[in-house]
Amino acid sequence: MPQSQECGRGGGDAGRAGSIIGGMTLTELRNIALGATDWLPDWLATVIILLLSALVAAIAYRFLFRILTRMVAGRDLFWRSLVDRGARPLRLVMIIIALGFGSAISPITPAEAAVLRQLMTVGVIVCIAWIAYTALYIWTTIHMRRFKLDAEDNLLARKHITQTRILMRVAKILIVILAIASVLMTFDAVRQYGVSLLASAGAAGIVAGIALQPVLKNLFAGIQLAITQPIRIDDALIVEGEWGNVEEITSTYVVIRVWDWRRLIIPLSYFIEKPFQNWTRENAELIGVVMLYLDHTAPVDRIRAEAERIAHASALWDRKVFNLAVTDFRERVMEVRVLISARNAPRAFDLRCEMREKLIGFIQAELPGALPRTREEIRAQSVGALAADLGERAGS
């Protein structure tokens, strides 16, 4: 055997003779593997051993997956989904572990073994982050299935869905950050550089903090929104003079679907720093307002009775609030306000339109004199009628 080959076959992890697998020490397994591949080049023997290790891991995974599937068959949806969706990262973890075992009995140098161990450590960290991400996704999906936004009273659904989506995005970011940090910490050079940077580069940290201020500002605003919930998914808001519903809340901005299907993009920090109107903060019920401007001689009692009849006949009214009152008396008109409630903002808007249309139709048909008129017009009509009457009398 060549000297280099003897060096390769004698190096690596031969010192771990205390490891016992299936009643056989790692050294004995290594000697068996080296004896079986003694006639092959080191690189080819290593490739064959690693491929066989991966194949054994894949076969073992199939048996383990069947066992786990049977174990969770009678459990809730979360565990069944976790086993199903976590199959690929679990298989990858088993293959990585098998490759680590294969590298320990392969004819490779200590330097090559160290590189392989480094890569396998990174792979395990990535798989753990993958499994954590999958578990988070499954839990949030199952949790949000319990709530329906299209329900009549969806306050509880909007509350939980908003909180879950924001916290899920924050958790995803944390998982990614922890995974990247863990990977970097496995490299000595990068770890030492990070420690020295944190210890001595305060100015760089300040500059980075200033540069990342908008991102961090919105990130912490998202956490605050998830906890305090001034807005929720499907809330009816008035922002920047626009009325619309909250369609999506991301980690940095909010998408508002305006009533005419336009989308208004607002940073998360806006809802912490500036005032806005939330029509569905505590519940979806709203009181609609209809303003009428009528002549001073308008019969308020008849108009009130007709408005009440319209309310009772409408399927949009929730039978809770109705009121008609004269709220102002101006020089030319009197102001009449109609209050009427509905279960949510869209129904309240439609109810206001219905009340307005039917009341003005009633007034035009039954009480035309109640419509606003100027006193000059009335006076001119009176003078004209008086002149015609005098002319008829003179002719007779």
Side-chain angles (χ1 to χ4, degrees):
M1 181 183 300
Q3 185 176 0
S4 61
Q5 185 173 351
E6 291 178 356
C7 178
R9 294 178 184 270
D13 299 300
R16 290 180 289 179
S19 300
I20 300 176
I21 300 177
M24 186 178 298
T25 64
L26 190 62
T27 302
E28 293 174 350
L29 291 174
R30 179 182 175 84
N31 292 332
I32 293 174
L34 294 178
T37 60
D38 185 60
W39 53 280
L40 294 173
D42 286 350
W43 68 269
L44 184 57
T46 301
V47 170
I48 292 175
I49 292 174
L50 294 180
L51 288 177
L52 289 175
S53 301
L55 179 61
V56 171
I59 295 173
Y61 160 77
R62 293 182 67 87
F63 287 101
L64 179 61
F65 181 74
R66 291 178 181 178
I67 294 173
L68 292 175
T69 303
R70 292 176 182 177
M71 289 177 59
V72 301
R75 307 194 68 175
D76 54 28
L77 181 60
F78 172 78
W79 293 106
R80 299 199 305 271
S81 301
L82 183 60
V83 170
D84 184 47
R85 287 182 171 267
R88 287 186 293 178
L90 176 61
R91 178 171 52 199
L92 188 56
V93 168
M94 293 185 64
I95 291 175
I96 291 173
I97 294 174
L99 291 177
F101 170 76
S103 65
I105 63 175
S106 298
I108 56 177
T109 63
E112 293 171 344
V115 172
L116 282 176
R117 285 197 301 269
Q118 186 72 34
L119 293 176
M120 293 172 190
T121 302
V122 172
V124 170
I125 293 173
V126 172
C127 289
I128 293 174
W130 189 358
I131 294 174
Y133 181 89
T134 302
L136 175 66
Y137 175 81
I138 293 171
W139 182 85
T140 52
T141 302
I142 294 174
H143 178 69
M144 289 192 294
R145 280 183 181 178
R146 300 164 50 193
F147 308 100
K148 301 295 182 182
L149 287 176
D150 55 356
E152 187 67 35
D153 185 6
N154 60 358
L155 176 63
L156 184 63
R158 291 186 287 108
K159 176 180 179 181
H160 282 273
I161 289 177
T162 301
Q163 196 170 46
T164 302
R165 286 183 179 178
I166 294 177
L167 293 179
M168 182 176 65
R169 289 188 175 94
V170 174
K172 287 179 180 179
I173 294 174
L174 292 177
I175 289 174
V176 172
I177 292 175
L178 289 176
I180 295 175
S182 300
V183 169
L184 293 178
M185 291 295 289
T186 61
F187 297 93
D188 292 336
V190 177
R191 181 172 61 246
Q192 295 299 326
Y193 174 77
V195 172
S196 62
L197 179 64
L198 293 176
S200 62
I206 295 174
V207 172
I210 295 175
L212 294 176
Q213 184 178 4
V215 177
L216 297 176
K217 183 179 181 180
N218 284 303
L219 180 62
F220 285 108
I223 298 174
Q224 188 173 351
L225 285 177
I227 297 173
T228 60
Q229 291 197 341
I231 60 172
R232 306 182 185 94
I233 296 295
D234 205 41
D235 266 352
L237 307 180
I238 294 183
V239 181
E240 298 292 322
E242 298 279 3
W243 182 90
N245 294 89
V246 178
E247 184 177 55
E248 183 182 4
I249 301 178
T250 70
S251 56
T252 55
Y253 61 87
V254 177
V255 179
I256 298 177
R257 184 182 67 255
V258 187
W259 64 273
D260 57 359
W261 297 354
R262 290 177 292 128
R263 279 3 182 224
L264 192 64
I265 311 300
I266 304 293
L268 283 177
S269 57
Y270 179 95
F271 297 96
I272 302 299
E273 300 172 351
K274 297 183 180 181
F276 60 93
Q277 293 185 37
N278 188 336
W279 288 11
T280 53
R281 176 68 177 88
E282 295 296 333
N283 52 59
E285 298 175 342
L286 284 177
I287 296 177
V289 180
V290 176
M291 305 300 298
L292 301 175
Y293 297 93
L294 305 174
D295 188 74
H296 299 148
T297 61
V300 177
D301 292 338
R302 287 190 62 185
I303 297 174
R304 180 182 293 111
E306 178 63 18
E308 191 169 3
R309 187 197 66 79
I310 294 171
H312 281 281
S314 176
L316 300 173
W317 186 39
D318 63 359
R319 307 300 192 270
K320 290 186 177 181
V321 175
F322 171 80
N323 179 263
L324 186 147
V326 178
T327 55
D328 199 1
F329 205 78
R330 303 178 185 175
E331 180 182 358
R332 296 180 180 274
V333 294
M334 67 176 177
E335 182 182 82
V336 177
R337 185 186 67 182
V338 182
L339 299 180
I340 190 165
S341 60
R343 295 175 183 174
N344 51 50
R347 293 171 70 94
F349 180 82
D350 294 338
L351 182 57
R352 289 168 58 200
C353 294
E354 180 182 355
M355 177 65 69
R356 193 179 295 113
E357 292 171 3
K358 292 185 176 181
L359 265 185
I360 196 64
F362 168 77
I363 294 173
Q364 288 175 346
E366 302 294 334
L367 303 170
L371 296 174
R373 296 181 295 174
T374 60
R375 295 306 168 187
E376 289 77 9
E377 289 178 354
I378 297 175
R379 183 175 181 182
Q381 291 176 3
S382 300
V383 171
L386 180 59
D389 184 48
L390 291 176
E392 290 178 358
R393 292 183 181 179
S396 62

